[in-house]
Amino acid sequence: IAWVPFYSLLGLPYLARAHARLRGYNTAFLASQLLNVGLTVYFVSRYQLGAYGSALATLISVWLFSACCFLPLSIRSFGISPARYARDTVARGIAPWTATLLLLWWLRPASPTWGNVILASAAGGCVFCAVAAACMSQTDRRDVHEIICTQLSRRGKGGAA
């Protein structure tokens, strides 16, 4: 969940490599990892938080460096305005997650049996896919259709999936 607002940054290493701008990305990435390790050691040794301390350190470093380093680097690499970047990438990524989390919160069972968990997971998956499809541009839909058709034709010919 820590990555939900910054999911669109996952392709940043590939974008940096394509634009031959690896120094800025690698420097920020190294600093984020050093902060993560430092905070993990601090939380685990000083506060005895164990795995929770490690998770908290990762959450802090991801949010801090995503917001302060990777997001501006990504916007500069794409060469678009922050408003357009937010509308075209971040909003389209947050909408399916938000709808799914709201549905799962609304469906949360009083007694979490395996059947209830499976039904809620299936409903959440359907809502996520529907909202993600609704948020896609025409080009995105065409690309997804092409990928699905390619995979189905490979299966039909007995090729590997």
Side-chain angles (χ1 to χ4, degrees), residues 26-108:
N26 286 339
T27 303
F29 184 74
L30 177 64
S32 74
Q33 296 308 306
L34 291 174
L35 177 67
N36 187 4
V37 169
L39 287 175
T40 298
V41 169
Y42 179 73
F43 289 145
V44 171
S45 64
R46 169 105 175 164
Y47 295 109
Q48 307 298 319
L49 292 177
Y52 292 112
S54 178
L56 181 62
T58 301
L59 182 72
I60 290 170
S61 67
V62 163
W63 273 83
L64 181 68
F65 275 88
S66 292
C68 297
C69 295
F70 296 132
L71 186 61
L73 182 61
S74 182
I75 289 171
R76 277 196 312 269
S77 295
F78 281 120
I80 59 175
S81 70
R84 180 172 176 209
Y85 183 84
R87 183 186 70 240
D88 289 350
T89 60
V90 178
R92 288 182 182 173
I94 290 176
W97 287 100
T98 304
T100 303
L101 290 174
L102 288 174
L103 174 75
L104 293 176
W105 180 78
W106 183 70
L107 288 177
R108 69 188 187 284

Side-chain angles (χ1 to χ4, degrees), residues 96-97 99-109 112-130:
W97 287 100
T100 303
L101 290 174
L102 288 174
L103 174 75
L104 293 176
W105 180 78
W106 183 70
L107 288 177
R108 69 188 187 284
T113 63
W114 281 108
N116 289 342
V117 170
I118 291 170
L119 289 174
S121 297
C126 290
V127 166
F128 182 88
C129 291

Side-chain angles (χ1 to χ4, degrees), residues 84 88 92 132-148:
R84 180 172 176 209
D88 289 350
R92 288 182 182 173
C135 291
M136 285 182 188
S137 68
Q138 197 65 21
T139 305
D140 295 335
R141 286 190 192 106
R142 186 176 56 244
D143 291 344
V144 168
H145 182 264
E146 183 179 321
I147 290 168
I148 291 172

Side-chain angles (χ1 to χ4, degrees), residues 14-25:
Y14 306 107
L15 184 64
R17 187 178 302 134
H19 287 245
R21 294 184 181 161
L22 289 173
R23 181 175 292 168
Y25 171 77

